[in-house]
Amino acid sequence: MSVTAVTAPAATRRGRPGEPLFVNVIRSEWVKIRTVGGTAWCLLALTALAVGVAALVALKEQTQGRRSIQVLVSMSHLGLSFGQLAVVVLAATAMGSEYGTGTIRTSLTAVPRRARWLMAKALVVGALALVTGVLLSLISFAVVYAYAPAVSGTFADPQVVRALLGFGLYLGMLAVLSLAVTTIVRGTAGGVIVMFVLIFVVPLIVSGSPVSRMERFLPVGMTPPNAGLAITQVGPMLGGLPPWGGFAVLCTWTAAAMGAALCLLGRRDA
């Protein structure tokens, strides 16, 4: 009786017998994403676009007059807006390579509870995109700010801090959304195509249609007023949602996509 009382809680903490701890699943997924060949190239492409465009903007700013801090933040994010496709490719490759190489069967054999495996992969991919996005957002802004002749406003403004960190949150959610879409379509190419259409094509179609007001509820895009980018704006987004309201909409889209991915992953054969 005493043995049962001691071992039962331990078994509950560790999950099912023979199944790895969640932290070990996360470590495994971290090793995987580091060894996928496309990861480094995607991060390099994102860095080159973010910092390269910021440098070009900084050169132009040397000839300009006084600028508001709000304008500088928006201009420093131009490279990240173009580079978000690299995050899509990174996330799609992280999942698509499982299907392409057939290693998904090994992964699901090692982690029978498929939801735990998918959540671990989403956590790793999202965290990588978030941290990279925050660092590049701060670096890009620093480059533009350093070369601005005169600036009105301070970077210590809470709204400025939120906007700078917000691009990391946006890219983190974008990565998880891309991972979920790739899981649904079961292929890297399919995941990239769907996300490309969602980012670049759908906003253009909606903005020129009678339902243009619905554009602010789209999760992602290149320019405002889609919901995801609201958190990257210093002030209110023209025609869009408030910062945290927009981010909540992006999270809702992502949660719905993850729910569909989890459902299909549980029902389909690997």
Side-chain angles (χ1 to χ4, degrees), residues 76-263:
S76 70
H77 283 163
L78 287 175
L80 283 169
S81 294
F82 287 109
Q84 63 182 301
L85 188 59
V87 173
V88 170
V89 175
L90 185 154
T93 302
M95 177 55 75
S97 62
E98 296 269 2
Y99 288 102
T101 61
T103 55
I104 188 170
R105 289 187 289 273
T106 304
S107 298
L108 296 180
T109 299
V111 189
R113 282 190 286 179
R114 299 183 175 192
R116 295 178 81 240
W117 173 74
L118 184 60
M119 294 304 295
K121 185 177 282 290
L123 182 61
V124 169
V125 172
L128 178 60
L130 186 153
V131 173
T132 303
V134 168
L135 289 176
L136 290 179
S137 177
L138 294 174
I139 292 171
S140 299
F141 173 73
V143 170
V144 174
Y145 185 86
Y147 285 90
V151 180
S152 59
T154 172
F155 58 82
D157 185 328
Q159 299 302 316
V160 173
V161 174
R162 188 257 307 145
L164 292 174
L165 300 181
F167 222 106
L169 293 173
Y170 172 73
L171 292 182
M173 279 295 115
L174 174 65
V176 177
L177 177 61
S178 302
L179 183 82
V181 169
T182 305
T183 305
I184 293 170
V185 301
R186 296 204 286 186
T188 302
V192 172
I193 291 172
V194 171
M195 290 304 301
F196 180 89
V197 171
L198 188 58
I199 294 172
F200 297 98
V201 179
V202 173
L204 290 177
I205 295 175
V206 173
S207 64
S209 71
V211 293
S212 58
R213 287 179 60 85
M214 298 302 296
E215 185 179 1
R216 59 182 177 170
F217 294 104
L218 294 177
V220 292
M222 279 289 294
T223 58
N226 71 81
L229 289 179
I231 198 171
T232 70
Q233 308 296 304
V234 176
M237 188 167 64
L238 183 63
L241 299 172
W244 290 108
F247 185 67
V249 170
L250 173 57
C251 290
T252 301
W253 277 81
T254 303
M258 281 295 293
L262 286 168
C263 180

Side-chain angles (χ1 to χ4, degrees), residues 44-69:
L44 284 173
L46 179 61
T47 301
L49 281 168
V51 180
V53 172
L56 293 176
V57 170
L59 291 175
K60 180 182 177 182
E61 286 304 302
Q62 288 182 309
T63 62
Q64 304 298 317
R66 178 177 292 273
R67 290 283 200 178
S68 69
I69 196 79

